[in-house]
Amino acid sequence: GSSGEIRFNVFAYDSCYASTSDGAGIRAEASTTTVFNNTFVGCYSVVNGSAFAGVFGGTTVFRNNAVTHSPRGAAVHATSTVITGNSCNLYWANAANFGNWTPAATDIIADPLFCDLAALDFTVRDDSPCLNPPTPSCAPIGALGAGCGMVAVEPTSFGRIKAMYR
């Protein structure tokens, strides 16, 4: 029953096990909510809305979010909530992407190219569709920008490394 903005957050492996609830990442009840530039990875809900659920009325603007690897139910779900400004979202490897609403023409289904998913590094490669989407005005998508790349390392013996810190 409140209003607010949720921007530039990472929701990773959040879960909601209640058999009558949904929205493991974010659950907005009868709220006026703006959800911009967030990254949702592996959020899990027994019901629906693994990453985001809008329920019991209200209005939500859901834009420029990356929603990936939700293993069960719809990744994003709306029940009697109006989702406006829904555009420029990226979906990937979810059990289902949408519940009770239609994606926008600017929403994309593509691998976000995270730097290291296993190490929980959700920055993306330079060639990620989060930074270079088909609709250029949609960039950036998600909470984090480019972050992986080559690290210059000079070959050195362990003895020399120890000597540098004595």
Side-chain angles (χ1 to χ4, degrees), residues 22 34 37-38 62 101 134 149 153:
D22 50 15
T34 301
N37 289 101
N38 296 286
F62 194 80
W101 63 287
V153 177

Side-chain angles (χ1 to χ4, degrees), residues 6-78:
I6 302 165
R7 294 178 180 238
F8 298 103
N9 292 283
V10 174
F11 299 87
Y13 305 103
D14 293 327
S15 61
C16 181
Y17 288 101
S19 61
T20 58
S21 191
D22 50 15
I26 298 173
R27 179 182 168 98
E29 293 188 16
S31 300
T32 301
T33 310
T34 301
V35 182
F36 280 168
N37 289 101
N38 296 286
T39 298
F40 299 87
V41 179
C43 295
Y44 176 86
S45 174
V46 174
V47 184
N48 268 314
S50 298
F52 173 82
V55 297
F56 306 125
T59 303
T60 296
V61 176
F62 194 80
R63 190 181 161 96
N64 291 75
N65 298 291
V67 183
T68 72
H69 299 88
S70 294
R72 187 167 178 177
V76 177
H77 187 80

